[in-house]
Amino acid sequence: YVWLQGFGSYGGFDTGWGFYFGITKLDFNYSPRHVSYDSLGMNFDKTNTSMCDSNGNLLFYSNGIYIANKLDEKIENSDSLNAGAFQYEWDSSIQHDGYRTPQGIIALPFSNNPNRYHLIHSFVDTINIADLLGKRILYTLLDMSENAGHGKVEFKNHVIVDDSIQTSFTACRHGNGRDWWILILKNGTGCSYRLLVTDNGIEVLPTLTCFNDTISRKSVCSVCFSPDGSKYVFLDGYKGLYISDFDRCSGEISNTIHIPMYLSGALGTAISPNSRFLYASMGHNLFQFDLQAADIPGSMDTVGVFDNTNAPFPAVFHTAQSGPDGKIYISCGNTDTVYHVIERPDEKGDSCLFKQHSLSLPSPSAGVPSFPNYRLGALAGSACDTLTGLAETERAEKERIIKVYPNPTTDFVTIDYGFTDWNKGEADLEITNALGQIVHKQKLPMYSGYQKLDISSYPSGVYNAFIMRGSSPNGGKGTVVAVAKWVKE
């Protein structure tokens, strides 16, 4: 819920460029999100992740060089992540600017301990930028309960995969609703290592999963899973898109569709919250594919063409990341002061409302953070839904839980709908006054969990928050999933 990005915090205000170097913070606890400049000292290049607690409060963040807590303190024993020739010999500026591998780090929570986190990160061991190859996948274990809540790294840089690999990766929740899958592509093949991340550690399965093609060892790539975990997408800068079905029980890919495309520069991938539309950003073009179409390659639609804007460098289309607000944010790859935004990614064609450089940032950014879908639950009814699976009656009971706080309130109210069962489809939020009149209605971002609303203009009184499937309760249609009463003073 808190994204941090920014370049050159040590630079301060630059009169030549006319902006501050440093940290931009996007806070998605608010609707719409808050954008602000922050004095945090960490610098980010392409490698970027952060973590919040269950209430959306920032816990820690990392640029692939070290980990800082919410107070911007370097967490004990977190220095020298990814230590090697890439950051010490090739360019010492990496030490203060951050690691340079897009989608090169990810943080995954333990299911049985809210204070412990796996950090998985890709390691580059070369001093030749023209031959920037992944060498290993490393594992670091963080416990935020240590040092009176300031955190401590228990161990770092443990080698999980020692091979020539692609540096970009992400994760998908296992069908049991507890563990995680990570796919790591082996260079020179079309096969991926399968990493199973559990509370007991990380296991590399003995067999690889393949899509029967060979990927260049020097290609630029981007990867993503669909929010529901049913699809895995690999975008190769030389060969194009590979779209595969993903088995959340076995970690296997199958039924791969190859769409030839070529671009050796900036690229990124993201899939809409409803898991239907794939977006491939490829420098000067943004393409949309309908994953439900009978002919997925034939569904390709160009929904964005670069308009040659400099901000201050060419603001091309690069890495992409879905936000908790249901929108997709696209970076420029260069250290620009804007993001591109897909406002309605669940809609087909131009209805997705792609807006170039529509989000101004108070400082330049080199990329977006990298996150999986943390709120994906168990694959209901599957053979592997055994660890956290609930009976249908229990699921229904949990879904009726909705929290509204603070209550009473004056200016802002937060709706916590974290138990919504997305296997049952999309949901809406409706706010009604004491007369039953709808004063606010919106589609809730799938797999999100919070919406913080500005209600400062509401008259004092009693209100109800409804989580709905279908139309308004006043219209006699639709289904009320959950309801909570709250007071505006």
Side-chain angles (χ1 to χ4, degrees):
Y1 278 82
V2 176
W3 295 15
L4 301 172
Q5 53 276 304
F7 189 82
S9 292
Y10 49 85
F13 184 79
D14 190 291
T15 55
W17 291 112
F19 53 68
Y20 280 94
F21 286 90
I23 299 299
T24 288
K25 180 166 71 174
L26 272 62
D27 191 338
F28 290 95
N29 288 288
Y30 299 86
S31 180
R33 87 254 122 179
H34 281 188
V35 182
S36 62
Y37 180 84
D38 206 293
S39 59
L40 300 175
M42 182 177 286
N43 302 306
F44 296 94
D45 201 308
K46 302 292 194 301
T47 307
N48 185 338
T49 195
S50 58
M51 179 63 67
C52 291
D53 64 19
S54 59
N55 292 318
N57 300 310
L58 184 65
L59 283 177
F60 64 86
Y61 40 100
S62 178
N63 61 0
I65 302 296
Y66 70 100
I67 310 167
N69 60 27
K70 62 184 178 183
L71 302 175
D72 202 38
E73 302 167 333
K74 184 179 292 185
I75 290 176
E76 181 182 349
N77 194 34
S78 74
D79 60 316
S80 303
L81 295 186
N82 294 313
F86 182 50
Q87 58 173 296
Y88 291 120
E89 297 178 33
W90 177 69
D91 189 346
S92 60
S93 67
I94 291 174
Q95 279 291 301
H96 52 72
D97 288 339
Y99 222 54
R100 296 181 178 176
T101 54
Q103 293 185 292
I105 189 170
I106 201 166
L108 300 175
F110 279 64
S111 68
N112 61 3
N113 189 329
N115 296 308
R116 290 166 65 84
Y117 296 87
H118 312 274
L119 270 76
I120 300 94
H121 39 109
S122 56
F123 172 72
V124 176
D125 189 19
T126 178
I127 59 174
N128 182 2
I129 191 60
D131 193 30
L132 184 58
L133 299 177
K135 176 64 176 175
R136 299 183 186 96
I137 294 296
L138 305 180
Y139 173 34
T140 295
L141 182 60
L142 172 63
D143 192 332
M144 289 303 298
S145 67
E146 294 286 341
N147 293 323
H150 291 247
K152 179 181 178 180
V153 166
E154 294 189 7
F155 59 78
K156 61 188 174 186
N157 297 333
H158 280 208
V159 178
I160 300 299
V161 175
D162 189 0
D163 201 350
S164 177
I165 46 92
Q166 286 285 351
T167 59
S168 295
F169 64 90
T170 188
C172 180
R173 180 80 73 174
H174 191 288
N176 61 31
R178 185 195 70 180
D179 303 328
W180 294 88
W181 291 109
I182 295 176
L183 300 185
I184 305 293
L185 187 79
K186 177 180 172 64
N187 275 326
T189 75
C191 299
S192 294
Y193 289 98
R194 289 177 292 159
L195 277 58
L196 180 59
V197 184
T198 74
D199 290 338
N200 296 320
I202 301 179
E203 175 188 358
V204 182
L205 273 62
T207 58
L208 280 65
T209 185
C210 305
F211 50 74
N212 298 321
D213 202 347
T214 301
I215 301 302
S216 167
R217 62 191 294 268
K218 294 185 180 181
S219 64
V220 180
C221 73
S222 174
V223 297
C224 69
F225 288 98
S226 59
D228 65 4
S230 65
K231 297 288 186 182
Y232 174 71
V233 173
F234 178 87
L235 175 57
D236 174 74
Y238 290 96
K239 289 196 171 183
L241 274 168
Y242 294 85
I243 304 171
S244 304
D245 293 336
F246 183 69
D247 188 324
R248 291 175 59 199
C249 292
S250 68
E252 294 274 3
I253 59 173
S254 61
N255 303 319
T256 300
I257 297 171
H258 178 216
I259 304 175
M261 308 172 81
Y262 174 78
L263 181 76
S264 60
L267 47 80
T269 53
I271 297 177
S272 60
N274 64 5
S275 296
R276 177 174 178 178
F277 296 108
L278 164 66
Y279 295 89
S281 53
M282 302 187 70
H284 286 213
N285 294 281
L286 177 65
F287 302 105
Q288 182 195 72
F289 297 85
D290 188 346
L291 298 179
Q292 295 180 7
D295 177 13
I296 294 178
S299 72
M300 185 176 77
D301 190 356
T302 303
V303 294
V305 177
F306 178 47
D307 63 5
N308 295 311
T309 293
N310 293 326
F313 306 107
V316 296
F317 313 148
H318 191 33
T319 49
Q321 175 64 51
S322 295
D325 57 358
K327 302 178 182 182
I328 293 176
Y329 295 82
I330 301 175
S331 74
C332 303
N334 302 310
T335 49
D336 282 318
T337 57
V338 296
Y339 275 167
H340 313 292
V341 183
I342 306 175
E343 296 283 342
R344 299 177 183 174
D346 286 340
E347 303 296 329
K348 189 176 180 62
D350 291 340
S351 296
C352 74
L353 292 184
F354 173 60
K355 296 183 178 180
Q356 296 190 48
H357 46 80
S358 60
L359 180 59
S360 295
L361 308 177
S363 64
S365 171
V368 288
S370 180
F371 306 109
N373 178 10
Y374 289 111
R375 289 195 176 266
L376 182 59
L379 185 58
S382 69
C384 61
D385 181 14
T386 58
L387 297 179
T388 61
L390 300 171
E392 185 61 33
T393 53
E394 291 178 279
R395 284 198 182 94
E397 285 298 323
K398 287 180 72 68
E399 193 176 34
R400 280 193 276 270
I401 298 174
I402 177 177
K403 299 176 183 178
V404 181
Y405 58 89
N407 189 12
T409 184
T410 55
D411 298 321
F412 292 91
V413 66
T414 297
I415 314 296
D416 179 349
Y417 59 101
F419 289 113
T420 301
D421 188 350
W422 298 111
N423 291 313
K424 296 179 181 178
E426 299 178 354
D428 295 324
L429 169 66
E430 293 185 359
I431 306 294
T432 62
N433 60 21
L435 299 177
Q437 300 167 325
I438 298 175
V439 296
H440 177 83
K441 181 174 181 177
Q442 70 173 90
K443 178 181 177 181
L444 288 173
M446 290 185 72
Y447 307 108
S448 189
Y450 298 94
Q451 287 289 280
K452 188 170 185 177
L453 305 179
D454 183 351
I455 49 89
S456 57
S457 63
Y458 287 23
S460 299
V462 177
Y463 294 84
N464 284 303
F466 292 91
I467 306 298
M468 298 290 303
R469 287 197 180 91
S471 59
S472 166
N474 299 327
K477 298 179 181 179
T479 302
V480 176
V481 177
V483 62
K485 185 175 291 186
W486 52 280
V487 176
K488 162 68 187 301
E489 292 184 332

